[in-house]
Amino acid sequence: MNAVEANFDGLVGLTHNYAGLSEGNLASARNKDMIARPRDAALQGLEKMKRLAARGLPQGVLPPHERPFIPALRRIGFSGGDKAVWERAWREAPEMARRVTAASAMWAANAATVSPSPDCGDGRVHITPANLHTMAHRALESATTTRALRRIFANAERFVVHDALPAHWLLADEGAANHMRLSGEIGAGGLEIFVYGRTGEAGATRHPARQTLDASQSIARMHALSPPRIAFAAQAPAAIEAGAFHNDVVAVAHRNVLLFHEHAFADKQRLLDDIVRGAEGLFDPIFIEISEEETPLADAVASYLFNGQLVSPPGADLMTLILPEEARENPSARSAVEHLTAPNGPIGRFEFLDLRQSMRNGGGPACLRLRVELSPEELAAVTPGFFLTEGLAAQLASWIRRHYRETLAPSDLRDPAIITETRAALDELTRVLPLGSNFYEFQRDG
Ligand code: SUG
């Protein structure tokens, strides 16, 4: 048996909605207050997981978080029963009430940064949950994410799940969305690339730069990576301005392939030189650059051409690129895709998926997944029950159909019934996924 690259996807939560919470994420701003379809959103995400599992790729599931998250409102002074807290928050701080309903934990690329064991000094897989410090609604995620990752990667001989970095502006961290890895083969040692939007200095960009160099350096240290096998690269401010709030909107890496937009990095040549140097003796990198002329940044951001999942299905000679429908519909993205699969390249096929519900909040295929490379022994050491089987997929589909609302308008969120409804569903989920009966805060209160 060989090592694998597993994808852990965030199951879309029951309160999936469009609140326009993420400045600099153009889709989130554009679709603010649109009526959301949580059931479709969750089924679209599940369909993607099933598609990858059907290709023979190990597919894990990360649970949605408790939303609305009443404890966060208590922390800022709302008191009384849950219903009273909820009603008063909507009257006095409606923006806060909306933040605590965000289902944004679905975008698992922001859950953590993962370094596979061949890269790490102690030979274990290192995982650092992201503090998601920049956006108030996302900063709520790290505690639950840490708990979930510690359940799944509980075996301390094989895995280390660190604490998230301190929640400070200097250490703002958005996880794997700003981290890439290149290697010869899955399971072999590789080069880890950390992409950051800013240093400690005040932002040079109008939109927030969410990842700092200090955060990236801290993670490289915590994971005990070998300095010759690390590269740091600044995102191009122009990319952030164009709506690439995470690097994975303009670049993706898989095995020895780096696919990126001409304007993704502040100093492209330096990064490519660093990669060539860092790869020495390990692998030959393949760079695939898409020019501004072929696909302007604006189209890259609108189509999520670079937010695909580049995967190596077992038994296939060439890689597959899994893209959102939007990349098929955008003419300049579509033409780039056709060039990508030209003969002699590393990518053999592409597939398109309907992820429109997530896309309207700026989340494409690659946003929804956290990659974890695992040796056969590590795969066997993962807590059983979190990988998608046909049985688990059927159970999740039935759970979604029974509990998710078909539509959710902004005004529906105020309904206090949403608290009991979501808790009943999540309580049941802790038996579908082996999370235990004290995973969510509401399960611990009594
Ligand atoms: O952090 N959207 C997410 C999208 C994250 C996409 N992830 C990656 N690129 N890896 C964000 O901006 C919008 C929520 C709202 O507006 O309702 C939101 O949080």
Side-chain angles (χ1 to χ4, degrees), residues 316-387:
D317 294 339
L318 297 171
M319 297 178 184
T320 298
L321 181 58
I322 297 172
L323 289 167
E325 284 290 349
E326 285 78 351
R328 182 184 353 228
E329 291 160 3
N330 181 297
S332 83
R334 176 72 204 223
S335 98
V337 161
E338 267 147 28
H339 288 164
L340 282 178
T341 48
N344 304 324
I347 305 172
R349 14 189 346 245
F350 46 94
E351 293 182 25
F352 297 95
L353 279 176
D354 176 3
L355 292 166
R356 287 187 206 280
Q357 285 293 313
S358 168
M359 283 289 287
R360 288 187 185 129
N361 254 335
C367 301
L368 287 158
R369 62 97 165 93
L370 180 68
R371 284 182 288 184
V372 187
E373 256 189 54
L374 298 163
S375 70
E377 297 74 23
E378 289 156 359
L379 183 60
V382 175
T383 305
F386 290 96
F387 282 110

Side-chain angles (χ1 to χ4, degrees), residues 17-22 25 28-29 102 104 107 109-110 132 135 137-138 141 174 176-177 210 245-246 248-249 304 307 361-364 366-368:
N17 75 99
Y18 301 112
L21 296 173
S22 287
N25 169 343
S28 154
S104 46
W107 298 298
N110 305 117
L132 290 162
M135 296 291 161
H137 67 293
R138 303 219 59 184
E141 294 170 33
E174 300 265 328
R210 301 199 203 178
F245 53 97
H246 291 133
D248 69 3
V249 176
Y304 269 42
N307 198 258
N361 254 335
C367 301
L368 287 158

Side-chain angles (χ1 to χ4, degrees), residues 409-422:
S411 56
D412 297 332
L413 292 165
R414 292 182 82 122
D415 178 2
I418 206 113
I419 304 172
T420 41
E421 229 173 87
T422 49

Side-chain angles (χ1 to χ4, degrees), residues 17-254:
N17 75 99
Y18 301 112
L21 296 173
S22 287
E23 193 205 332
N25 169 343
L26 306 185
S28 154
R30 189 177 334 111
N31 296 311
K32 179 174 163 55
D33 290 341
M34 190 178 163
I35 294 172
R37 304 188 66 84
R39 186 186 300 170
D40 289 348
L43 292 172
Q44 286 169 4
L46 184 61
E47 202 46 49
K48 174 164 93 72
M49 296 190 232
K50 285 165 70 176
R51 181 83 70 97
L52 275 105
R55 300 276 178 278
L57 297 160
Q59 178 64 57
V61 185
L62 294 172
H65 293 191
E66 177 183 340
R67 297 289 182 273
F69 194 48
I70 303 294
L73 296 174
R74 293 189 186 285
R75 284 277 285 111
I76 57 170
F78 294 102
S79 57
D82 290 338
K83 185 165 179 273
V85 166
W86 192 232
E87 286 172 349
R88 199 177 142 209
W90 275 100
R91 274 197 312 275
E92 295 176 20
E95 289 299 318
M96 282 297 178
R98 288 203 78 171
R99 289 191 180 103
V100 306
T101 63
S104 46
M106 71 170 86
W107 298 298
N110 305 117
T113 305
V114 182
S115 296
S117 55
D119 296 355
C120 302
D122 65 0
R124 295 187 289 175
V125 178
H126 281 248
I127 303 174
T128 299
N131 60 23
L132 290 162
H133 182 68
T134 306
M135 296 291 161
H137 67 293
R138 303 219 59 184
L140 302 171
E141 294 170 33
S142 72
T144 306
T145 298
T146 304
R147 209 153 58 233
L149 293 171
R150 287 190 175 147
R151 294 265 158 123
I152 300 171
F153 301 103
N155 184 321
E157 277 173 43
R158 303 277 179 195
F159 308 113
V160 191
V161 180
H162 295 273
D163 289 337
L165 290 171
H168 186 272
W169 187 80
L170 256 183
L171 294 171
D173 171 31
E174 300 265 328
N178 294 316
H179 175 250
M180 302 187 289
R181 183 174 182 275
L182 293 168
S183 68
E185 286 306 321
I186 291 167
L191 171 73
E192 301 207 8
I193 304 164
F194 292 84
V195 185
Y196 60 93
R198 63 178 169 87
T199 58
E201 283 127 49
T205 52
R206 194 166 38 93
H207 292 320
R210 301 199 203 178
Q211 181 81 31
T212 70
L213 175 59
D214 283 284
S216 298
Q217 289 170 331
S218 305
I219 293 168
R221 262 191 307 274
M222 286 153 71
H223 293 193
L225 304 179
S226 157
R229 306 290 187 203
I230 311 172
F232 295 100
Q235 261 191 294
I240 297 176
E241 295 307 10
F245 53 97
H246 291 133
N247 172 64
D248 69 3
V249 176
V250 280
V252 59
H254 173 66

